[in-house]
Amino acid sequence: MSTNNSVEHPQSPTPARGRNVDVVIVGLGPTGATAANLLGQRGISTVVVERDATIYPRQRAIASDEDAHRVWQGLGLFDEMQKTMSSDIRVHFKHGNRTFMSMQGNESRGQGVPGTAFYHQPELERVLREGIARFPTVQVLSGVEAIGLTQDTDSVTLTLRPVDGGADQTITSQYVIACDGGSSSIRKMLGIALPGKHIEEPWFDIQLRSWYDLPSEAPLDFTFISDPKRPGVDCPCPMGYHRVEFRVNKGETVEQLQTEAGLRGLLAERGINYDDVEIYRSWGYTFHIRQAEQWSTGRAFLAGDAAHIMPPFAGQGVSSGVRDVANLCWKLDAVLNAGAGSELLKSYEPERRLNVEQLTKFSLRIGGMVMLGSNAASHVRDAAFMAAAKAPLVGNWLTGIGLKPLYRLGTDGGFFAGAPARRSPRGTFIKQPWVSGADHTPVRLDTVLDNRWTWVGFPESPIPPWLAAAGVTEVKLEYSSAIATHHVPAGHYVDTERVLERQMRRSRARGVLIRPDRFIYGSDRDLSSADIDRVAASVVAGVPLTAHPS
């Protein structure tokens, strides 16, 4: 892949009037580009509408987590992304000269990918856009904006206007996904409110570039400056970029801080010499905390910042958008290609909203730690965290990934087994260990799952006949002792580290039904006759996803 940010796509600034496609995506940021790859991977005819002609150059987001990485891995893009990412992350909370807490950022709760990665956003978007070019069913229309939307029971029609002038055109699709950010024009056209609040306290960002390239394998130390005099963030990024953020104190203005004197003074507070770096960009902003009242109307769906905006402290903006479209796109595939009822799409918001609410609270908790208003409270905080970090169990939880909410889908209104047994694993992801087949070559579990409905079970729990009849794939597990005998039957796999065995034993399961998004629909203890028709109607049979261009 090239390193030019101006990725070319098949495009037409004046699409034919009334052209019919399955899905239109509005917005080509990380959320929209991921959705386009997911739909292209499934052979769904898709048009992406993007106002900007080239990738936006500012580094708006800098981080992603294991949930997004696993989705990108399934798209065959994560290896390319990692060439310019840094995934050895350490997070520090510092007050004055004292670091009162440090956390490791590479844990992933068994998902088999790095827990955190930092990147230069234009590079991330370059890889995603070049990924779209693999799929002939996806077309990108850049330099065009959506200015009107109408829909009926069968379709959605968008009115498009070239940014540089020209006649308005229309495009008709079965569904629309709005990935056009916090100021989403599609959300406004749908009349969906975005209630919430913004933090009045202004902040100021400086994106600079140092005169060296930081190797992607080098560890990155992300630091929260937790000082009541001026809280902020200090983050070295890959490719020589560096992001520093400051609260704008009383008596200061963004305009003053953007002068050479203002920039020199702020950088000096962090020990950075203005003359040793290149100031790439600087800007002021305020934090927003908002959630759309509903995430869909008719055949139009909101995703990413169009649906929810959270504070930046937990770095979850991009990953949350990727989670959204990973949940939505396999369901669109089931409706469009398997004949599943459209009621399946109603499970999108109930499943995803819970996690967004939890992560918003998590981000606010981190912000509260960083932005304490007095020295006295800050010293109490420092002492409390330093003492807690020394406690054996609490310390491991606190300095690892324990503070971050576990990604669970909302099961109330979700698409899961309807009669869960006690300790049911439904709504949680299947972990991703290395597994070995008959040739003893280790592969990641997701390579075997291949983004399809799959039954994963041990010998005593083979796939139920009704699932096999519906086209569900079976992954047959052998216990780890099988590897000692060097005998693994063809079509069987062994998890040598017993990750899946432990996961199933905790839920008292011997087999689990996995949805295309890697989440567990239910275990052998959960499924009943009521699930037969629901599942069978959502299984897309035919060409495996790995047969699509990669």
Side-chain angles (χ1 to χ4, degrees), residues 10 12 23 43 80 91 104 147 202 206 240 274 287 315 344 349 368 395 398 402 544:
S12 168
V23 180
E80 179 68 19
V91 179
Q104 287 294 328
I147 62 165
I206 304 174
Y274 176 89
F287 302 148
L344 173 62
E349 181 182 340
L398 191 64

Side-chain angles (χ1 to χ4, degrees), residues 52 68 114 128 166 176 220 239 272 274 284 366 370 415 495-496 506 509 539:
D52 295 331
L128 286 167
V176 166
L220 287 183
M239 303 176 64
I272 300 172
Y274 176 89
I366 294 178
V370 173
F415 190 71
D495 168 17
T496 57
R506 278 196 295 271
V539 176

Side-chain angles (χ1 to χ4, degrees), residues 365-378:
R365 283 197 295 269
I366 294 178
M369 289 170 54
V370 173
M371 296 193 297
L372 286 180
S374 72
N375 271 320
S378 298

Side-chain angles (χ1 to χ4, degrees), residues 482-499:
I483 203 73
T485 66
H486 301 285
H487 177 67
V488 180
H492 292 229
Y493 295 89
V494 177
D495 168 17
T496 57
E497 297 178 344
R498 303 176 64 189
V499 172

Side-chain angles (χ1 to χ4, degrees), residues 251-297:
E252 298 175 332
T253 66
V254 170
E255 291 73 22
Q256 291 170 342
L257 295 176
Q258 283 184 315
T259 64
E260 180 179 332
L263 292 168
R264 279 185 179 276
L266 285 178
L267 292 177
E269 291 182 17
R270 302 287 174 82
I272 300 172
N273 188 334
Y274 176 89
D275 296 317
D276 291 341
V277 297
E278 173 190 4
I279 304 297
Y280 203 56
R281 277 178 175 77
S282 64
W283 63 94
Y285 65 97
T286 55
F287 302 148
H288 297 270
I289 308 165
R290 300 185 183 277
Q291 277 209 49
E293 288 185 338
Q294 59 196 66
W295 293 15
S296 65
T297 295

Side-chain angles (χ1 to χ4, degrees), residues 36-48:
N37 276 278
L38 288 165
L39 296 175
Q41 189 183 52
R42 289 159 168 81
I44 295 172
S45 63
T46 305
V47 166
V48 188

Side-chain angles (χ1 to χ4, degrees), residues 135-158:
F135 304 113
T137 59
V138 182
Q139 182 184 17
V140 175
L141 303 179
S142 58
V144 178
E145 59 183 342
I147 62 165
L149 180 151
T150 60
Q151 61 177 314
D152 54 32
T153 56
D154 299 317
S155 63
V156 187
T157 299
L158 287 178

